[in-house]
Amino acid sequence: MVATKQRRVRKSPEERRAEIAQAAVRLVGEKGYYGTSLKDVADAVGMSQPGLLHYIGNKEGLLSMLITDNYDVFGTPDDFMASGLPGSDPDRLLFPAYLRYLVRYNAQRRELVALYIALEAEAMGPDHPLHEYFDGRPQEVWDHYSRYPWCIPPQMGSWEDSMKPLVRRCIEAMDGVQLRWMRNPPVDLYDEWLAFEELLFPSPMWDNYR
């Protein structure tokens, strides 16, 4: 009996990039940026290093793939408005409802959240390639959210004049809750966020605006 040679399946560039991103998310989340080599990523997807570089350019390009092309592009207010969930109506768009949506979304991508936490800690050093990204992230988040027509209590005044400190606190609280979620024993990410929501958006002012 003559053995037949198995035909090699050629993958599309999109499939290859998705494989690379999936492997890198896991590796960098476990070992950090500095602890992960391009060889580690190439081995994880069964590629040579030159083949890997064809898709990412260099190691910093790998970070761009993971953060700006993956983490940052999903779970957005646009995704929320398309969801049809309570509070997602563009004519009455509710910020606390969006944050609950984001928490639920992040609960489904644990490895990406672990990656984000690991990189944020590493990027404290000024030589890290994402140092400026994380330094500028609070302002970038504020600018991004400010593009949307959020409906907030009239006592708060306008979004532009009153909400920036609150948005910053929401980011800080969410970062802390996600970090605690990663530790053992883990908290329930959504339930823990709901407890913070009561503090950040208290009654009676925020009733009917959550």
Side-chain angles (χ1 to χ4, degrees), residues 116-142:
Y116 182 89
I117 290 171
L119 290 175
E120 185 174 21
E122 279 190 336
M124 297 277 295
D127 296 331
H128 193 281
L130 288 180
H131 179 75
E132 290 186 4
Y133 167 87
F134 280 107
D135 265 10
R137 185 163 178 78
Q139 183 63 43
E140 177 64 28
V141 169
W142 166 253

Side-chain angles (χ1 to χ4, degrees), residues 46-65:
M47 298 177 66
S48 65
Q49 288 190 61
L52 177 67
L53 291 173
H54 171 74
Y55 290 96
I56 65 172
N58 53 36
K59 195 176 181 184
E60 291 187 18
L62 182 66
L63 286 182
S64 178
M65 173 189 285

Side-chain angles (χ1 to χ4, degrees), residues 54-196:
H54 171 74
Y55 290 96
I56 65 172
N58 53 36
K59 195 176 181 184
E60 291 187 18
L62 182 66
L63 286 182
S64 178
M65 173 189 285
L66 298 180
I67 295 297
T68 60
D69 296 347
N70 282 276
Y71 188 89
D72 280 347
V73 298
F74 300 107
T76 65
D78 288 311
D79 294 333
F80 177 55
M81 287 191 291
S83 71
L85 291 169
S88 66
D89 186 340
D91 292 330
R92 199 173 189 275
L93 191 62
L94 303 182
F95 188 61
Y98 164 66
L99 294 180
R100 291 196 301 275
Y101 166 82
L102 181 59
V103 169
R104 285 193 297 264
Y105 189 86
N106 283 342
Q108 300 172 28
R109 54 176 187 170
R110 187 180 179 91
E111 285 191 336
L112 261 179
V113 173
L115 166 81
Y116 182 89
I117 290 171
L119 290 175
E120 185 174 21
E122 279 190 336
M124 297 277 295
D127 296 331
H128 193 281
L130 288 180
H131 179 75
E132 290 186 4
Y133 167 87
F134 280 107
D135 265 10
R137 185 163 178 78
Q139 183 63 43
E140 177 64 28
V141 169
W142 166 253
D143 291 342
H144 180 69
Y145 287 166
S146 295
R147 301 184 189 122
Y148 295 89
W150 305 105
C151 183
I152 62 175
Q155 301 95 308
M156 294 294 295
S158 71
W159 171 273
E160 292 77 10
D161 292 337
S162 65
M163 286 293 292
K164 191 171 186 178
L166 182 54
V167 170
R168 174 179 55 79
R169 293 185 192 108
C170 289
I171 297 170
E172 293 166 352
M174 192 169 294
D175 284 350
V177 171
Q178 289 179 161
L179 181 61
R180 184 61 189 84
W181 177 52
M182 289 292 165
R183 302 189 67 84
N184 286 316
V187 296
D188 183 287
L189 185 62
Y190 186 69
D191 286 348
E192 195 75 0
W193 177 254
L194 291 182
F196 274 90

